[in-house]
Amino acid sequence: MGIFKLNVKKLKKKKDVEGLIKALKHKDWKIREDAAKVLGEIGDKEAVEPLIQAMKDDDRDTRRNAMLALEKIGKLAVEPLIKALDNKDADIRCGAVEALGEIGGEETIEPLIQAMKDRMKARQLVDTRGMSLDRYLEYNRYINSEAKKALIKIGKPAVPQLIKVLKSEESDVVGDTVDILGNIGDERAIKPLFQVLKNFAKEPYIRKTVAKALDRLGWKPENDKEKVYYLFALNKFKKLATVEKKALIPAIEPLIQMLKDEDNIVRSGAAKALALGEVGDERAVEPLIQMLKDENKWVRSGAAKALGKIGDERAVESLILAALKDEDANVRWWSAKALGKVGDERAVESLILAALKDKKYIRPGYLIDALRMIGWTPKDNQEKAWYLYVEFLIWVVENGDSLIEDTILILGDMGEKKAADSVVNWLFKYSKDIYNISSMFSALKNLFEDYTDLILKTACYKRIGNYSYSYPLDESIDALKRLYDIGGPISTNILHKVAQKKDALVIKEATQYGKAISGELSFEPLREMAKKELEQRGNPPYDPSAYLDKEAWKL
């Protein structure tokens, strides 16, 4: 082994290129490795082809030294290395592109661009060593990566030729070229890159790559149209809402195409974009209707939002189906809301049914707003919708929703006696603020008629002074005595409510400095009076059906 090493040293000393070329084929890998290194140091043109062949050596270090040797030889090796880019052997092609990248120079630009483009060349090449196609493709991905690195290293001299490549119809090639230009950072690429943004608006990867390249170049949109393309490229759909509608026109078709994308996130984002700001466009209606059947719930809810924004009647039937039958509550809710925005009376009954199905999810305010947008008001109590609507509003009262007072106002305005039981229960459950009651008085008067004042006073509403809270129990007692004289089923029902009214922990006084003084308010005197009167009447049961008799409310 030592003799062989000395021979390589002697060959180096003598600059025996021929002997060193022969050593590249020696059976000892160490001799081959050293010979390749020495040939690079000598730099003779005769060694170029043998070194190119050495780049397919079984020994990794020999292959590496052969490539480094070609880099050292430099310009003399360029032409043979360019030819080597078409070699059938993948190792030789890999070594050639890496060596050319290190050597650089304008004459290497076009071959390196070609190497970058030829990712699939393995399909046309014969594998003399029985390498699988997948393995060949792996090599070609490496070649593509090294070619990109080499072109970035060459820098600005490569820009004009790279700009020409942007006109390619192959998205992979264009994407790679965009990435290279972004890394080189030459302002000459800005306009061509923006053109790519428009030409490949339907290609998410290229859009994003171009936007990032433009960012690296310090580019900023000069007008709304450029801003649309840029925001669209980065999937910043919410910010599209800040752009004027006429500038959004170029984004519509790509967004519609994105609705068909395989990626759930892309489909959902496109639907959201069509739902935001002024992006809505009737061309998107049919694709969005199809999206209501999408496997992804976020895509379906995004489609419902968008259809509500666009407001096209073609979507009504599909939205009704989604509002009633979609397995996801969020989708049902957005579909119901969209129906309100579309404003078609066919949706009234479905909206109310959807609200009944999702009582805890579809809040009453949204249902009420939706029905108002459609322009529907319950006019005829023979309508099925009337009964459904009342049922929903009564549920709101019974379950203490934050919009309960608004709901009672609606029920009162409707004069719906079916709701009387629930409203009475609500009034007696807690003591109400007199100001609160005053704002509702007209609606309550419509519901309770001649009994309104008696019900409110026996329910013990409160008055608020500057710094104190008082409860007019004396008025409650007087009202209770009046009920004694009236008799009848409604007065009996009210007596039951008074007899069941619980004591309450209340703020009895608030000092000038904001300190609250709390205490228990006892309704025991009222309860005892009500119980005695019920006993004298023979303890008749509480009867909610009594409220349905409109004549019974008159005194």
Side-chain angles (χ1 to χ4, degrees), residues 13 33 189 308 344 350-351 366 399 428 457 497 532 551:
K13 192 173 182 179
E33 180 186 325
D344 190 301
S350 300
L351 274 168
Y366 294 124
N399 286 273
F428 276 87
K457 286 182 177 179
K497 291 300 174 186
K532 285 181 181 179
E551 294 301 317

Side-chain angles (χ1 to χ4, degrees), residues 153-184:
K153 189 171 183 179
I154 291 169
K156 293 188 177 183
V159 169
Q161 284 161 277
L162 286 167
I163 286 173
K164 292 178 182 177
V165 181
L166 292 177
K167 296 178 181 178
S168 171
E169 294 181 0
E170 297 180 48
S171 58
D172 286 342
V173 172
V174 173
D176 287 338
T177 307
V178 166
D179 191 35
I180 295 167
L181 286 167
N183 278 285
I184 291 173

Side-chain angles (χ1 to χ4, degrees), residues 187-206:
E187 290 185 358
R188 289 174 292 174
I190 290 177
K191 285 187 178 180
L193 282 172
F194 188 75
Q195 189 60 45
V196 171
L197 200 60
K198 293 196 289 184
N199 293 346
F200 285 84
K202 299 176 186 178
E203 299 276 356
Y205 166 73
I206 293 184

Side-chain angles (χ1 to χ4, degrees), residues 91-118:
D91 284 316
I92 289 177
R93 295 200 309 281
C94 287
V97 76
E98 198 168 340
L100 284 170
E102 288 299 320
I103 294 168
E106 292 191 17
E107 66 270 31
T108 67
I109 294 172
E110 193 56 46
L112 285 169
I113 288 174
Q114 198 58 44
M116 175 199 70
K117 292 164 66 175
D118 289 344

Side-chain angles (χ1 to χ4, degrees), residues 88 140 171 341 395-396 423 445 450 520:
K88 294 176 182 178
N140 277 274
S171 58
K341 290 184 176 182
W395 178 89
V396 174
V423 177
K445 179 76 173 172
D450 295 345
E520 188 172 72

Side-chain angles (χ1 to χ4, degrees), residues 348-362:
V348 170
E349 190 174 311
S350 300
L351 274 168
I352 301 169
L353 283 169
L356 286 169
K357 182 176 182 179
D358 295 302
K359 289 173 182 172
K360 292 184 179 179
Y361 199 81
I362 297 182

Side-chain angles (χ1 to χ4, degrees), residues 464-483:
I464 301 177
N466 288 336
Y467 301 106
S468 64
Y469 297 73
S470 63
Y471 295 82
L473 295 182
D474 53 339
E475 292 183 18
S476 299
I477 291 170
D478 288 343
L480 195 58
K481 289 178 178 178
R482 280 196 62 199
L483 287 174

